[in-house]
Amino acid sequence: MVANRTSADGGMETSYGFRDVAEGEKQGLVNDVFHKVAKRYDIMNDVMSAGLHRVWKDAMIAALNPRKDPDYRTLDVAGGTGDIAFRIVEASKRLAHSTVLDINGSMLAVGQERAQKKGLGDNLTFVEANAEELPFEANSFDAYTIAFGIRNVPRIDLALSEAFRVLKRGGRLLVLEFSEVQMPLLDRVYDEWSFKAIPKFGKMITGDAEPYQYLVESIRKFPNQKDFAVMIETAGFSKVSFTNYTGGIAALHSGWKI
Ligand SMILES: C[S@@+](CC[C@H](N)C(=O)[O-])C[C@H]1O[C@@H](n2cnc3c(N)ncnc32)[C@H](O)[C@@H]1O
């Protein structure tokens, strides 16, 4: 049931979950997934992670420790419905600015609606674009964040080199992603939950199990903590490190452009 993880040498661009797809095909399939789930995405996140995604996202923002400064500019890539950008702005006492970038207009539409309801509109800009080709000048941002997004991007090496390009010198990269469970028993419980329960809940809540089958499979194909750290270093980042959350179910990778 469980496929091998992708190595640091790449290969994610031709894997759609456990299926091999042609080069250039993955992005369209991923976009279909997020168009389908956008309206129920936030509810499903709580169900799938039993609320833990909130704890991991809070920990990511604590690690970032955003400056309380109107000149502090962050870019949240694959920002979807806005969870990370909202937290950054709130942690900066509503002083910082965050650009939420996503390739999927349906996810961004939900994010924009949530931002308006929270009164955060002035601190946020929403941009529909591809992480592999960022529409920003070099050296533009103090921080680049991406949460549960990078494994969906076909060419991860391109996304990381774009992250490096748009960050200012001294800027910080933070990547939150599902990773390899490092605790013996927990990995078995987690497999049962992922492959048996999550697609069923997905069908109950969104009417379709397939997007959630992809999501759990894509988690298992993503490079493990060490291999992903190598990919970040290869893109040019320094002082690369990672912290496991909940036994490695998720991991936060950090790197600096110096
Ligand atoms: C699992 S969601 C994560 C959303 C949000 N960051 C969060 O943590 O809740 C993954 C997001 O990645 C986006 N995505 C996939 N491929 C992308 C790409 N090439 N460029 C930008 N965003 C992409 C999807 O549209 C989706 O909104």
Side-chain angles (χ1 to χ4, degrees):
M1 187 208 284
V2 178
N4 288 335
R5 285 183 181 274
T6 311
S7 74
D9 299 334
M12 285 293 283
E13 67 274 25
T14 52
S15 79
Y16 173 73
F18 292 168
R19 243 171 71 199
D20 289 331
V21 293
E23 217 161 305
E25 200 186 339
K26 176 172 175 171
Q27 188 72 67
L29 294 166
V30 167
N31 293 350
D32 289 346
V33 164
F34 289 102
H35 283 307
K36 275 187 201 157
V37 304
K39 290 220 165 78
R40 295 295 171 101
Y41 175 79
D42 293 309
I43 297 171
M44 266 308 286
N45 262 355
D46 281 329
V47 172
M48 272 170 67
S49 72
L52 277 172
H53 76 106
R54 294 170 185 258
V55 178
W56 300 329
K57 286 170 177 169
D58 287 346
M60 179 189 204
I61 305 309
L64 179 64
N65 191 16
R67 279 206 324 261
K68 294 159 191 68
D69 172 354
D71 291 331
Y72 186 68
R73 290 255 168 300
T74 76
L75 174 63
D76 184 42
V77 172
T81 60
D83 269 4
I84 299 302
F86 299 163
R87 281 172 167 77
I88 290 174
V89 169
E90 294 290 15
S92 77
K93 305 257 183 270
R94 298 198 172 205
L95 289 171
H97 185 276
S98 188
T99 298
V100 184
L101 178 139
D102 201 286
I103 202 165
N104 194 305
S106 306
M107 293 291 281
L108 287 175
V110 175
Q112 274 170 305
E113 204 181 308
R114 291 177 78 205
Q116 291 308 328
K117 281 193 189 140
K118 289 174 186 284
L120 292 175
D122 291 348
N123 299 76
L124 298 166
T125 305
F126 290 83
V127 175
E128 191 173 328
N130 191 337
E132 296 174 359
E133 205 177 349
L134 296 175
F136 308 111
E137 287 181 9
N139 310 312
S140 301
F141 295 97
D142 297 289
Y144 174 117
T145 52
I146 181 165
F148 307 115
I150 195 99
R151 76 177 191 284
N152 297 293
V153 176
R155 288 173 298 177
I156 293 174
D157 53 339
L158 279 189
L160 290 173
S161 58
E162 279 291 86
F164 191 81
R165 184 182 67 78
V166 300
L167 276 170
K168 297 176 186 169
R169 292 264 161 218
R172 178 111 188 248
L173 167 83
L174 281 179
V175 186
L176 179 61
E177 191 48 271
F178 291 105
S179 202
E180 188 172 71
V181 177
Q182 307 286 329
M183 286 168 72
L185 274 175
L186 179 63
D187 59 353
R188 278 196 238 153
V189 177
Y190 181 56
D191 270 352
E192 289 287 308
W193 173 252
S194 301
F195 289 100
K196 301 221 169 110
I198 288 178
K200 278 194 193 128
F201 279 121
K203 188 162 171 60
M204 265 163 54
I205 295 171
T206 70
D208 194 351
E210 200 278 333
Y212 288 93
Q213 187 66 32
Y214 158 72
L215 289 172
V216 295
E217 289 180 5
S218 65
I219 288 169
R220 293 311 196 283
K221 289 295 284 186
F222 190 69
N224 69 17
Q225 288 87 333
K226 285 191 179 147
D227 281 343
F228 186 51
V230 170
M231 293 174 81
I232 294 174
E233 277 164 357
T234 305
F237 287 95
S238 304
K239 294 200 280 177
V240 175
S241 61
F242 64 83
T243 307
N244 284 328
Y245 295 152
T246 321
I249 291 180
L252 181 71
H253 281 76
S254 165
W256 295 85
K257 177 171 171 178
I258 54 179

